[in-house]
Amino acid sequence: QVQLVESGGGLVQAGGSLRISCAASGRTFSSYAMGWFRQAPGKEREFVAAISRSGTMRYYADSVKGRFTISRDNAKNMVVLQITSLKPEDTAVYYCAAGLSGAPIPDNYDYWGQGTQVTVSS
């Protein structure tokens, strides 16, 4: 079993930047593709970004492309989402997830963190 813990969320003004991280337990971290999803109140969980096991392939939702950057450090068992040019509509709980594929579908991920709140003020 993989445990995922997100951190780094907070309150940021529109146009600002934020860096959120996901720390993973276990010795098989490099066997998993990693993804970030987000969920705003009353809305379905939404795909944000994903990264392949080796880190060579990265995928982004159209809504965040050019503003968000996903990266991973397998030696540190960590995944990072760097966010710039934040918009109020980016406000959501951001979840880190691990799965055997990097598909932009929640059902393709087996393990989830508890989420970290990102709030963007206007």
Side-chain angles (χ1 to χ4, degrees):
Q1 185 170 320
V2 177
Q3 292 182 229
L4 304 173
V5 180
E6 302 95 334
S7 62
L11 176 63
V12 184
Q13 290 186 340
S17 61
L18 196 66
R19 182 180 188 271
I20 57 176
S21 301
C22 173
S25 67
R27 291 169 287 181
T28 59
F29 175 72
S30 61
S31 297
Y32 294 92
M34 302 296 298
W36 285 97
F37 292 77
R38 66 187 183 185
Q39 188 167 23
K43 301 187 70 176
E44 294 183 354
R45 190 163 297 187
E46 175 189 28
F47 170 76
V48 175
I51 188 166
S52 63
R53 290 170 291 176
S54 66
T56 58
M57 299 291 183
R58 290 182 281 194
Y59 312 91
Y60 299 96
D62 288 341
S63 60
V64 306
K65 195 173 299 181
R67 300 188 297 118
F68 289 25
T69 302
I70 187 171
S71 61
R72 71 188 296 164
D73 187 337
N74 288 345
K76 297 180 179 179
N77 284 10
M78 186 172 65
V79 180
V80 172
L81 187 68
Q82 295 180 321
I83 310 171
T84 61
S85 301
L86 278 161
K87 305 174 181 179
E89 51 263 44
D90 293 321
T91 296
V93 176
Y94 283 71
Y95 296 92
C96 175
L100 296 180
S101 73
I105 306 171
D107 288 347
N108 281 74
Y109 293 83
D110 301 310
Y111 305 101
W112 295 81
Q114 83 290 344
T116 186
Q117 177 71 47
V118 173
T119 303
V120 184
S121 62
S122 59

